[in-house]
Amino acid sequence: MIHLTRRERFNAAHRLYNPKWTDEKNKEVFGNCSNPNWHGHNYVLYITVKGELRDDEGWVIDLKQLSKVVDEHVIQKLDHKNINVEVDFMKDKRASTEVLAIEIWNVLVDEIKQLGADLHCIKLTETENNFVEYYG
Amino acid sequence: MIHLTRRERFNAAHRLYNPKWTDEKNKEVFGNCSNPNWHGHNYVLYITVKGELRDDEGWVIDLKQLSKVVDEHVIQKLDHKNINVEVDFMKDKRASTEVLAIEIWNVLVDEIKQLGADLHCIKLTETENNFVEYYG
Amino acid sequence: MIHLTRRERFNAAHRLYNPKWTDEKNKEVFGNCSNPNWHGHNYVLYITVKGELRDDEGWVIDLKQLSKVVDEHVIQKLDHKNINVEVDFMKDKRASTEVLAIEIWNVLVDEIKQLGADLHCIKLTETENNFVEYYG
Amino acid sequence: MIHLTRRERFNAAHRLYNPKWTDEKNKEVFGNCSNPNWHGHNYVLYITVKGELRDDEGWVIDLKQLSKVVDEHVIQKLDHKNINVEVDFMKDKRASTEVLAIEIWNVLVDEIKQLGADLHCIKLTETENNFVEYYG
Amino acid sequence: MIHLTRRERFNAAHRLYNPKWTDEKNKEVFGNCSNPNWHGHNYVLYITVKGELRDDEGWVIDLKQLSKVVDEHVIQKLDHKNINVEVDFMKDKRASTEVLAIEIWNVLVDEIKQLGADLHCIKLTETENNFVEYYG
Amino acid sequence: MIHLTRRERFNAAHRLYNPKWTDEKNKEVFGNCSNPNWHGHNYVLYITVKGELRDDEGWVIDLKQLSKVVDEHVIQKLDHKNINVEVDFMKDKRASTEVLAIEIWNVLVDEIKQLGADLHCIKLTETENNFVEYYG
């Protein structure tokens, strides 16, 4: 069993906001992260897969295929987009780093199984000072 | 003469957009950077000042004072904001890294002179793959 | 269950030293790390907590509250300090990265429980070439 | 129980190549990574060991001894070398990051046990965008 | 006048070698950098251009066009290649970081002029501990 | 003319302190940087030299010789030391980043001339948020 990690990046706008709450409550809980005019980040995404070594290739998974799947299902949908209003798999969800990592997991878990490996971890970095990890 | 650089960070939303152009023209020139729903970045700002060494303190400028001035005049106005719609010194300007660096220079140059040093360079990093430098 | 990590920094002086040993023995075991005139580091601290997602907020823990607790109980006590002589929770202990990580865990574990999450890991980086991780 | 990680680096040439396959098949599977004229990388290696804290020293393992063992058995054999043709423990193996990490584990596991700790993980970074981890 | 920098990367094999010298002399001068079996690096390339701000676009140069020119004339020729034997603009030259930076300048200077800006600096990083800069 | 930069590191203790001032005045000007029990940093030093390309070697200066000179005259004297009390070339001087950079320049300028190149810049990083540059 070996783990392989691919790093990808996307730049997106978002705000933290709960539609069940008043604007005052949103401001109180989320502070300037709830700015109605949005702000944004250079997100860094680490996709870790695990599996047995394939002897002929010497790898766990074809990194080019992994990168293609991540690009098609995740990066194309998030890069230069507004997470709250434009991303189908984030509809009606909190646009937090935690929820985004979980939903990226949900989007990728079956796709990666079809490539012959198991998704192990989604790590998502929002700033140099905070990141989340989701293991399913 | 010695140069001192302070690094600061802000997270903001923006889009590249020229109001004199049609949406098609904006899309053609700026690509997905002109997304009307915005996107954003973790900007990294380097403020370089120069001056003579002050013998008693052993420094060019008081780093705490420099940081305070930059925070008050630049970071507070940009962090968790939308550069196109909320930042007074960017009103009616292109929200590009180049223009933003120039306007940050304009905001800071006199403030830093009052601290007893000269502004030498504004370096602004938009992503890990591109940055601009402005020397006035 | 999701993991969230906050990164913090502090700059401190220390020396490796065992008072039960002679100076020669300290020098032999710890080399120039036992310099009686001290040396120091830019320590980087990663606090990882884990817990269930809170649906309303979309997070595991309020990052601002976590940061405040870490600042009050850890950073204020270590930053610009001498680890061997000024830090209450390091009194009579080896000022190694390992021991420091363990004691930071001990200081934070109950505080973080009160914020509604569990401390998962303390990672402490001493230089770009070495770090320790403690999981309790 | 505490984990300690040491970071080391080596620069080497390699190619992905399976001698059981035709050149066309190698090209098809490995792309430009199979270039017969070689290419190379600045590899970054993280060796994580785990063990009980030794009270007198305040550490898990003597970092200088760990570094010496890694240098002698791994870095000296890989740095400024061709992984496919000059490295004894890679003979007749795929020169992939995965296989290299596994073989570095095999070389180090007993050596580190003799230093009084257990090897926990070999992490090997090939580029800023991909790395592997092996836990034995 | 404003400066814009684009960062690009390529992974390549090379050796330091002067064909006018004996193997012993090469070994004496270049050490293990002259290994006849090659070694390699993850090179990082920073292309800095300068020019006047174009008011309509708010930029100095179209970053996508700059990136395309650098990719076509530099990255495609160097990435996953052997610098000594496969790169036309390095034929019969020392495969040092210095010479490589100068030749990349020579390849790009006119191309960038056609994009409406001036090449200002080629910075080439060979390892995390050494880089060269060439200003023409 | 080409510029070459070598990166080196040292970990040291220091305090900002002016013996002509009272302790209160030192505290007022330097804040917690004047802690009498010291604090410390992982300093990162960049030595940039410039000169003509030597055709036979393809370099400006022998990087190994440069590194040896810097190690002997600078790193050995600063690493794991107390800058205020143990470093001959800092005796009776402010232990600030600015003064340290200037004195490292003074120590190295003639040594590098003897290697056949000119010292161009000393860049010294104290934390990830501040650094100084001295050009002589």
Side-chain angles (χ1 to χ4, degrees), chain A residues 37-61:
Chain A
N37 289 313
W38 320 100
H39 66 284
H41 298 287
N42 298 350
Y43 291 92
V44 186
L45 173 66
Y46 299 83
I47 305 100
T48 301
V49 306
K50 61 184 172 189
E52 298 297 324
L53 193 77
R54 302 181 202 176
D55 286 338
D56 276 348
E57 293 86 357
W59 63 39
V60 164
I61 201 173

PDB file of all heavy atoms in Angstrom, chain A residues 37-61:
ATOM      1  N   ASN A  37     -20.192  41.763  -0.672  1.00  0.00           N
ATOM      2  CA  ASN A  37     -19.520  42.038  -1.949  1.00  0.00           C
ATOM      3  C   ASN A  37     -18.443  41.009  -2.281  1.00  0.00           C
ATOM      4  O   ASN A  37     -17.702  41.174  -3.224  1.00  0.00           O
ATOM      5  CB  ASN A  37     -18.905  43.441  -1.930  1.00  0.00           C
ATOM      6  CG  ASN A  37     -19.962  44.523  -1.984  1.00  0.00           C
ATOM      7  OD1 ASN A  37     -20.876  44.464  -2.806  1.00  0.00           O
ATOM      8  ND2 ASN A  37     -19.849  45.503  -1.097  1.00  0.00           N
ATOM      9  N   TRP A  38     -18.336  39.959  -1.436  1.00  0.00           N
ATOM     10  CA  TRP A  38     -17.413  38.858  -1.675  1.00  0.00           C
ATOM     11  C   TRP A  38     -15.958  39.208  -1.345  1.00  0.00           C
ATOM     12  O   TRP A  38     -15.596  40.370  -1.260  1.00  0.00           O
ATOM     13  CB  TRP A  38     -17.476  38.350  -3.132  1.00  0.00           C
ATOM     14  CG  TRP A  38     -18.842  38.289  -3.695  1.00  0.00           C
ATOM     15  CD1 TRP A  38     -19.415  39.211  -4.516  1.00  0.00           C
ATOM     16  CD2 TRP A  38     -19.844  37.280  -3.448  1.00  0.00           C
ATOM     17  NE1 TRP A  38     -20.713  38.833  -4.823  1.00  0.00           N
ATOM     18  CE2 TRP A  38     -21.005  37.658  -4.177  1.00  0.00           C
ATOM     19  CE3 TRP A  38     -19.869  36.112  -2.702  1.00  0.00           C
ATOM     20  CZ2 TRP A  38     -22.169  36.902  -4.175  1.00  0.00           C
ATOM     21  CZ3 TRP A  38     -21.022  35.354  -2.703  1.00  0.00           C
ATOM     22  CH2 TRP A  38     -22.160  35.759  -3.428  1.00  0.00           C
ATOM     23  N   HIS A  39     -15.185  38.185  -1.144  1.00  0.00           N
ATOM     24  CA  HIS A  39     -13.726  38.268  -1.160  1.00  0.00           C
ATOM     25  C   HIS A  39     -13.259  36.959  -1.793  1.00  0.00           C
ATOM     26  O   HIS A  39     -14.088  36.221  -2.336  1.00  0.00           O
ATOM     27  CB  HIS A  39     -13.153  38.479   0.255  1.00  0.00           C
ATOM     28  CG  HIS A  39     -13.366  37.342   1.170  1.00  0.00           C
ATOM     29  ND1 HIS A  39     -14.577  37.066   1.760  1.00  0.00           N
ATOM     30  CD2 HIS A  39     -12.534  36.368   1.615  1.00  0.00           C
ATOM     31  CE1 HIS A  39     -14.491  35.989   2.515  1.00  0.00           C
ATOM     32  NE2 HIS A  39     -13.257  35.536   2.450  1.00  0.00           N
ATOM     33  N   GLY A  40     -11.967  36.671  -1.789  1.00  0.00           N
ATOM     34  CA  GLY A  40     -11.543  35.456  -2.495  1.00  0.00           C
ATOM     35  C   GLY A  40     -10.204  34.944  -2.033  1.00  0.00           C
ATOM     36  O   GLY A  40      -9.536  35.561  -1.183  1.00  0.00           O
ATOM     37  N   HIS A  41      -9.825  33.813  -2.577  1.00  0.00           N
ATOM     38  CA  HIS A  41      -8.600  33.131  -2.150  1.00  0.00           C
ATOM     39  C   HIS A  41      -7.932  32.413  -3.318  1.00  0.00           C
ATOM     40  O   HIS A  41      -8.586  32.038  -4.296  1.00  0.00           O
ATOM     41  CB  HIS A  41      -8.920  32.078  -1.070  1.00  0.00           C
ATOM     42  CG  HIS A  41      -9.492  32.648   0.182  1.00  0.00           C
ATOM     43  ND1 HIS A  41      -8.736  33.356   1.077  1.00  0.00           N
ATOM     44  CD2 HIS A  41     -10.743  32.613   0.703  1.00  0.00           C
ATOM     45  CE1 HIS A  41      -9.503  33.731   2.093  1.00  0.00           C
ATOM     46  NE2 HIS A  41     -10.722  33.304   1.890  1.00  0.00           N
ATOM     47  N   ASN A  42      -6.625  32.185  -3.157  1.00  0.00           N
ATOM     48  CA  ASN A  42      -5.893  31.211  -3.963  1.00  0.00           C
ATOM     49  C   ASN A  42      -5.943  29.887  -3.207  1.00  0.00           C
ATOM     50  O   ASN A  42      -5.136  29.643  -2.305  1.00  0.00           O
ATOM     51  CB  ASN A  42      -4.426  31.628  -4.124  1.00  0.00           C
ATOM     52  CG  ASN A  42      -4.241  32.951  -4.834  1.00  0.00           C
ATOM     53  OD1 ASN A  42      -5.178  33.519  -5.388  1.00  0.00           O
ATOM     54  ND2 ASN A  42      -3.016  33.459  -4.813  1.00  0.00           N
ATOM     55  N   TYR A  43      -6.904  29.062  -3.512  1.00  0.00           N
ATOM     56  CA  TYR A  43      -7.018  27.764  -2.838  1.00  0.00           C
ATOM     57  C   TYR A  43      -5.969  26.792  -3.372  1.00  0.00           C
ATOM     58  O   TYR A  43      -5.698  26.765  -4.575  1.00  0.00           O
ATOM     59  CB  TYR A  43      -8.406  27.168  -3.068  1.00  0.00           C
ATOM     60  CG  TYR A  43      -9.527  27.887  -2.372  1.00  0.00           C
ATOM     61  CD1 TYR A  43     -10.240  28.901  -3.003  1.00  0.00           C
ATOM     62  CD2 TYR A  43      -9.880  27.558  -1.072  1.00  0.00           C
ATOM     63  CE1 TYR A  43     -11.277  29.560  -2.366  1.00  0.00           C
ATOM     64  CE2 TYR A  43     -10.924  28.213  -0.426  1.00  0.00           C
ATOM     65  CZ  TYR A  43     -11.614  29.212  -1.079  1.00  0.00           C
ATOM     66  OH  TYR A  43     -12.635  29.856  -0.444  1.00  0.00           O
ATOM     67  N   VAL A  44      -5.412  25.991  -2.471  1.00  0.00           N
ATOM     68  CA  VAL A  44      -4.499  24.914  -2.872  1.00  0.00           C
ATOM     69  C   VAL A  44      -5.116  23.596  -2.422  1.00  0.00           C
ATOM     70  O   VAL A  44      -5.492  23.446  -1.259  1.00  0.00           O
ATOM     71  CB  VAL A  44      -3.097  25.093  -2.254  1.00  0.00           C
ATOM     72  CG1 VAL A  44      -2.139  24.049  -2.817  1.00  0.00           C
ATOM     73  CG2 VAL A  44      -2.566  26.496  -2.517  1.00  0.00           C
ATOM     74  N   LEU A  45      -5.231  22.679  -3.360  1.00  0.00           N
ATOM     75  CA  LEU A  45      -5.928  21.408  -3.140  1.00  0.00           C
ATOM     76  C   LEU A  45      -4.938  20.252  -3.272  1.00  0.00           C
ATOM     77  O   LEU A  45      -4.211  20.167  -4.253  1.00  0.00           O
ATOM     78  CB  LEU A  45      -7.032  21.277  -4.204  1.00  0.00           C
ATOM     79  CG  LEU A  45      -7.795  19.962  -4.297  1.00  0.00           C
ATOM     80  CD1 LEU A  45      -8.623  19.713  -3.036  1.00  0.00           C
ATOM     81  CD2 LEU A  45      -8.708  19.981  -5.530  1.00  0.00           C
ATOM     82  N   TYR A  46      -4.915  19.390  -2.254  1.00  0.00           N
ATOM     83  CA  TYR A  46      -4.072  18.184  -2.294  1.00  0.00           C
ATOM     84  C   TYR A  46      -4.985  16.964  -2.310  1.00  0.00           C
ATOM     85  O   TYR A  46      -5.746  16.751  -1.357  1.00  0.00           O
ATOM     86  CB  TYR A  46      -3.167  18.110  -1.058  1.00  0.00           C
ATOM     87  CG  TYR A  46      -2.213  19.259  -0.915  1.00  0.00           C
ATOM     88  CD1 TYR A  46      -2.619  20.463  -0.342  1.00  0.00           C
ATOM     89  CD2 TYR A  46      -0.889  19.168  -1.345  1.00  0.00           C
ATOM     90  CE1 TYR A  46      -1.741  21.525  -0.211  1.00  0.00           C
ATOM     91  CE2 TYR A  46      -0.015  20.234  -1.205  1.00  0.00           C
ATOM     92  CZ  TYR A  46      -0.445  21.403  -0.649  1.00  0.00           C
ATOM     93  OH  TYR A  46       0.427  22.467  -0.513  1.00  0.00           O
ATOM     94  N   ILE A  47      -4.899  16.153  -3.362  1.00  0.00           N
ATOM     95  CA  ILE A  47      -5.698  14.935  -3.491  1.00  0.00           C
ATOM     96  C   ILE A  47      -4.780  13.746  -3.222  1.00  0.00           C
ATOM     97  O   ILE A  47      -3.861  13.489  -3.999  1.00  0.00           O
ATOM     98  CB  ILE A  47      -6.286  14.804  -4.914  1.00  0.00           C
ATOM     99  CG1 ILE A  47      -7.071  16.054  -5.273  1.00  0.00           C
ATOM    100  CG2 ILE A  47      -7.155  13.546  -5.034  1.00  0.00           C
ATOM    101  CD1 ILE A  47      -6.303  17.016  -6.160  1.00  0.00           C
ATOM    102  N   THR A  48      -5.021  13.031  -2.111  1.00  0.00           N
ATOM    103  CA  THR A  48      -4.191  11.866  -1.787  1.00  0.00           C
ATOM    104  C   THR A  48      -4.968  10.589  -2.082  1.00  0.00           C
ATOM    105  O   THR A  48      -6.076  10.401  -1.574  1.00  0.00           O
ATOM    106  CB  THR A  48      -3.780  11.883  -0.306  1.00  0.00           C
ATOM    107  OG1 THR A  48      -3.061  13.088  -0.054  1.00  0.00           O
ATOM    108  CG2 THR A  48      -2.898  10.687   0.038  1.00  0.00           C
ATOM    109  N   VAL A  49      -4.373   9.727  -2.909  1.00  0.00           N
ATOM    110  CA  VAL A  49      -4.974   8.426  -3.207  1.00  0.00           C
ATOM    111  C   VAL A  49      -4.053   7.337  -2.657  1.00  0.00           C
ATOM    112  O   VAL A  49      -2.861   7.559  -2.446  1.00  0.00           O
ATOM    113  CB  VAL A  49      -5.193   8.225  -4.723  1.00  0.00           C
ATOM    114  CG1 VAL A  49      -6.000   9.393  -5.299  1.00  0.00           C
ATOM    115  CG2 VAL A  49      -3.878   8.081  -5.462  1.00  0.00           C
ATOM    116  N   LYS A  50      -4.631   6.156  -2.430  1.00  0.00           N
ATOM    117  CA  LYS A  50      -3.816   5.039  -1.946  1.00  0.00           C
ATOM    118  C   LYS A  50      -4.161   3.783  -2.723  1.00  0.00           C
ATOM    119  O   LYS A  50      -5.273   3.652  -3.259  1.00  0.00           O
ATOM    120  CB  LYS A  50      -4.023   4.825  -0.452  1.00  0.00           C
ATOM    121  CG  LYS A  50      -5.436   4.479  -0.040  1.00  0.00           C
ATOM    122  CD  LYS A  50      -5.571   4.389   1.474  1.00  0.00           C
ATOM    123  CE  LYS A  50      -7.047   4.240   1.852  1.00  0.00           C
ATOM    124  NZ  LYS A  50      -7.264   4.354   3.298  1.00  0.00           N
ATOM    125  N   GLY A  51      -3.222   2.849  -2.761  1.00  0.00           N
ATOM    126  CA  GLY A  51      -3.460   1.607  -3.480  1.00  0.00           C
ATOM    127  C   GLY A  51      -2.194   0.774  -3.504  1.00  0.00           C
ATOM    128  O   GLY A  51      -1.159   1.168  -2.954  1.00  0.00           O
ATOM    129  N   GLU A  52      -2.299  -0.377  -4.157  1.00  0.00           N
ATOM    130  CA  GLU A  52      -1.133  -1.240  -4.303  1.00  0.00           C
ATOM    131  C   GLU A  52      -0.278  -0.738  -5.463  1.00  0.00           C
ATOM    132  O   GLU A  52      -0.803  -0.165  -6.421  1.00  0.00           O
ATOM    133  CB  GLU A  52      -1.575  -2.684  -4.583  1.00  0.00           C
ATOM    134  CG  GLU A  52      -2.388  -3.321  -3.466  1.00  0.00           C
ATOM    135  CD  GLU A  52      -1.592  -3.439  -2.176  1.00  0.00           C
ATOM    136  OE1 GLU A  52      -0.377  -3.697  -2.247  1.00  0.00           O
ATOM    137  OE2 GLU A  52      -2.187  -3.245  -1.087  1.00  0.00           O
ATOM    138  N   LEU A  53       1.011  -0.990  -5.375  1.00  0.00           N
ATOM    139  CA  LEU A  53       1.916  -0.660  -6.467  1.00  0.00           C
ATOM    140  C   LEU A  53       1.619  -1.568  -7.660  1.00  0.00           C
ATOM    141  O   LEU A  53       1.484  -2.777  -7.512  1.00  0.00           O
ATOM    142  CB  LEU A  53       3.359  -0.908  -5.986  1.00  0.00           C
ATOM    143  CG  LEU A  53       4.453  -0.337  -6.870  1.00  0.00           C
ATOM    144  CD1 LEU A  53       4.560   1.167  -6.643  1.00  0.00           C
ATOM    145  CD2 LEU A  53       5.787  -1.003  -6.589  1.00  0.00           C
ATOM    146  N   ARG A  54       1.510  -0.960  -8.853  1.00  0.00           N
ATOM    147  CA  ARG A  54       1.396  -1.780 -10.075  1.00  0.00           C
ATOM    148  C   ARG A  54       2.808  -2.037 -10.595  1.00  0.00           C
ATOM    149  O   ARG A  54       3.518  -1.092 -10.973  1.00  0.00           O
ATOM    150  CB  ARG A  54       0.580  -1.029 -11.121  1.00  0.00           C
ATOM    151  CG  ARG A  54      -0.812  -0.669 -10.627  1.00  0.00           C
ATOM    152  CD  ARG A  54      -1.585   0.047 -11.703  1.00  0.00           C
ATOM    153  NE  ARG A  54      -2.652   0.835 -11.096  1.00  0.00           N
ATOM    154  CZ  ARG A  54      -3.454   1.642 -11.761  1.00  0.00           C
ATOM    155  NH1 ARG A  54      -3.318   1.782 -13.073  1.00  0.00           N
ATOM    156  NH2 ARG A  54      -4.397   2.326 -11.144  1.00  0.00           N
ATOM    157  N   ASP A  55       3.191  -3.299 -10.625  1.00  0.00           N
ATOM    158  CA  ASP A  55       4.596  -3.626 -10.892  1.00  0.00           C
ATOM    159  C   ASP A  55       5.091  -3.136 -12.256  1.00  0.00           C
ATOM    160  O   ASP A  55       6.213  -2.642 -12.371  1.00  0.00           O
ATOM    161  CB  ASP A  55       4.789  -5.145 -10.792  1.00  0.00           C
ATOM    162  CG  ASP A  55       4.753  -5.602  -9.340  1.00  0.00           C
ATOM    163  OD1 ASP A  55       4.992  -4.762  -8.449  1.00  0.00           O
ATOM    164  OD2 ASP A  55       4.476  -6.788  -9.091  1.00  0.00           O
ATOM    165  N   ASP A  56       4.286  -3.276 -13.283  1.00  0.00           N
ATOM    166  CA  ASP A  56       4.773  -2.923 -14.617  1.00  0.00           C
ATOM    167  C   ASP A  56       5.062  -1.430 -14.748  1.00  0.00           C
ATOM    168  O   ASP A  56       6.048  -1.044 -15.383  1.00  0.00           O
ATOM    169  CB  ASP A  56       3.746  -3.338 -15.685  1.00  0.00           C
ATOM    170  CG  ASP A  56       3.909  -4.804 -16.065  1.00  0.00           C
ATOM    171  OD1 ASP A  56       4.933  -5.409 -15.689  1.00  0.00           O
ATOM    172  OD2 ASP A  56       3.012  -5.347 -16.722  1.00  0.00           O
ATOM    173  N   GLU A  57       4.203  -0.610 -14.162  1.00  0.00           N
ATOM    174  CA  GLU A  57       4.392   0.839 -14.283  1.00  0.00           C
ATOM    175  C   GLU A  57       5.218   1.408 -13.120  1.00  0.00           C
ATOM    176  O   GLU A  57       5.829   2.455 -13.257  1.00  0.00           O
ATOM    177  CB  GLU A  57       3.031   1.562 -14.326  1.00  0.00           C
ATOM    178  CG  GLU A  57       2.204   1.272 -15.563  1.00  0.00           C
ATOM    179  CD  GLU A  57       1.363   0.002 -15.391  1.00  0.00           C
ATOM    180  OE1 GLU A  57       1.483  -0.649 -14.327  1.00  0.00           O
ATOM    181  OE2 GLU A  57       0.616  -0.329 -16.331  1.00  0.00           O
ATOM    182  N   GLY A  58       5.188   0.731 -11.992  1.00  0.00           N
ATOM    183  CA  GLY A  58       5.909   1.251 -10.828  1.00  0.00           C
ATOM    184  C   GLY A  58       5.148   2.368 -10.142  1.00  0.00           C
ATOM    185  O   GLY A  58       5.728   3.177  -9.439  1.00  0.00           O
ATOM    186  N   TRP A  59       3.849   2.422 -10.376  1.00  0.00           N
ATOM    187  CA  TRP A  59       3.082   3.483  -9.722  1.00  0.00           C
ATOM    188  C   TRP A  59       1.767   2.952  -9.164  1.00  0.00           C
ATOM    189  O   TRP A  59       1.368   1.804  -9.436  1.00  0.00           O
ATOM    190  CB  TRP A  59       2.864   4.668 -10.662  1.00  0.00           C
ATOM    191  CG  TRP A  59       2.055   4.427 -11.907  1.00  0.00           C
ATOM    192  CD1 TRP A  59       0.935   3.646 -12.037  1.00  0.00           C
ATOM    193  CD2 TRP A  59       2.282   4.997 -13.201  1.00  0.00           C
ATOM    194  NE1 TRP A  59       0.454   3.708 -13.316  1.00  0.00           N
ATOM    195  CE2 TRP A  59       1.249   4.531 -14.064  1.00  0.00           C
ATOM    196  CE3 TRP A  59       3.221   5.876 -13.728  1.00  0.00           C
ATOM    197  CZ2 TRP A  59       1.173   4.904 -15.409  1.00  0.00           C
ATOM    198  CZ3 TRP A  59       3.128   6.244 -15.070  1.00  0.00           C
ATOM    199  CH2 TRP A  59       2.125   5.760 -15.899  1.00  0.00           C
ATOM    200  N   VAL A  60       1.082   3.777  -8.413  1.00  0.00           N
ATOM    201  CA  VAL A  60      -0.212   3.449  -7.832  1.00  0.00           C
ATOM    202  C   VAL A  60      -1.330   3.798  -8.794  1.00  0.00           C
ATOM    203  O   VAL A  60      -2.341   3.112  -8.876  1.00  0.00           O
ATOM    204  CB  VAL A  60      -0.397   4.268  -6.527  1.00  0.00           C
ATOM    205  CG1 VAL A  60      -1.843   4.283  -6.083  1.00  0.00           C
ATOM    206  CG2 VAL A  60       0.499   3.730  -5.441  1.00  0.00           C
ATOM    207  N   ILE A  61      -1.138   4.885  -9.489  1.00  0.00           N
ATOM    208  CA  ILE A  61      -2.149   5.438 -10.368  1.00  0.00           C
ATOM    209  C   ILE A  61      -1.408   6.264 -11.405  1.00  0.00           C
ATOM    210  O   ILE A  61      -0.312   6.750 -11.143  1.00  0.00           O
ATOM    211  CB  ILE A  61      -3.134   6.326  -9.548  1.00  0.00           C
ATOM    212  CG1 ILE A  61      -4.469   6.512 -10.258  1.00  0.00           C
ATOM    213  CG2 ILE A  61      -2.512   7.654  -9.179  1.00  0.00           C
ATOM    214  CD1 ILE A  61      -5.498   7.242  -9.397  1.00  0.00           C
TER     215      ILE A  61
END
